[in-house]
């Protein structure tokens, strides 16, 4: 039987992506990245529901395109990628903190674990306002 799951998901998000810059979890209630985390989770949830996406369990590729006004970059590529990837993996393994404040968004996951990531890309494009595009895709396994 053929697997009919989508193997790539692309979606747009207004504003800035969450950044991962400190030891405190970006999922902690009241974290300064909380609004960005919720915005990303909502956009991912909407895209996943629209396409019937199910979390990938094999190798993953993540592409992040940041659009920002020239000269107004907010963070470096590694902290932006780190924040986006932390948010989009399965959060249920973050058992050391409570996640009830996320409500149903706690279940939004595009893959199981960051250890699945085999390829990352980051691109910046000039724009009038901040926004970003996330693309997640399955990486074919090599035999």
């Amino acid at each position: 039987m053929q697997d009919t799951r989508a193997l790539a998901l692309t979606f747009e998000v207004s504003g800035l992506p969450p950044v991962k810059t400190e030891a405190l979890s970006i999922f902690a209630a009241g974290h300064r990245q909380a609004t960005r985390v919720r915005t990303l989770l909502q956009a991912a949830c909407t895209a996943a529901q629209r396409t019937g996406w199910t979390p990938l369990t094999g190798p993953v590729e993540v592409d992040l395109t940041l659009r920002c006004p020239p000269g107004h970059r907010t963070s470096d590529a590694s902290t932006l990628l780190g924040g986006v990837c932390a948010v989009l993996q399965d959060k249920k393994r973050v058992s050391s903190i409570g996640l009830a404040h996320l409500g149903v968004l706690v279940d939004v996951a595009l893959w199981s674990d960051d250890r699945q990531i085999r390829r990352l890309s980051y691109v910046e494009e000039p724009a009038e306002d901040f926004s970003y595009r996330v693309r997640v895709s399955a990486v074919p396994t090599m035999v």
Side-chain angles (χ1 to χ4, degrees):
M1 180 190 258
Q2 183 178 4
D3 185 356
T4 59
R5 291 182 307 158
L7 296 178
L9 181 67
T10 303
F11 57 95
E12 303 283 333
V13 186
S14 295
L16 289 165
V19 294
K20 190 172 179 183
T21 60
E22 55 193 84
L24 178 64
S25 173
I26 61 175
F27 298 113
H31 191 282
R32 62 189 179 96
Q33 296 291 313
T35 301
R36 293 182 188 184
V37 168
R38 291 187 74 79
T39 301
L40 174 55
L41 285 172
Q42 189 60 59
C45 182
T46 300
Q49 288 175 338
R50 185 183 70 245
T51 62
W53 182 267
T54 56
L56 297 173
T57 57
V60 174
E61 177 176 359
V62 179
D63 304 312
L64 175 62
T65 302
L66 176 68
R67 295 181 198 94
C68 58
H72 289 86
R73 185 176 190 200
T74 63
S75 200
D76 61 75
S78 63
T79 59
L80 291 165
L81 284 164
V84 168
C85 291
V87 170
L88 296 178
Q89 72 177 338
D90 187 349
K91 285 150 289 304
K92 291 190 177 102
R93 46 187 217 86
V94 183
S95 60
S96 60
I97 63 167
L99 299 175
H101 63 282
L102 292 175
V104 297
L105 294 177
V106 74
D107 293 323
V108 176
L110 302 186
W111 63 85
S112 300
D113 188 285
D114 278 352
R115 286 177 264 177
Q116 293 170 245
I117 297 172
R118 298 296 184 269
R119 297 180 193 149
L120 284 170
S121 72
Y122 173 82
V123 175
E124 284 185 20
E125 296 177 350
E128 201 169 299
D129 297 311
F130 288 103
S131 68
Y132 59 103
R133 178 178 55 239
V134 177
R135 182 176 187 277
V136 176
S137 58
V139 175
T141 52
M142 300 295 180
V143 190

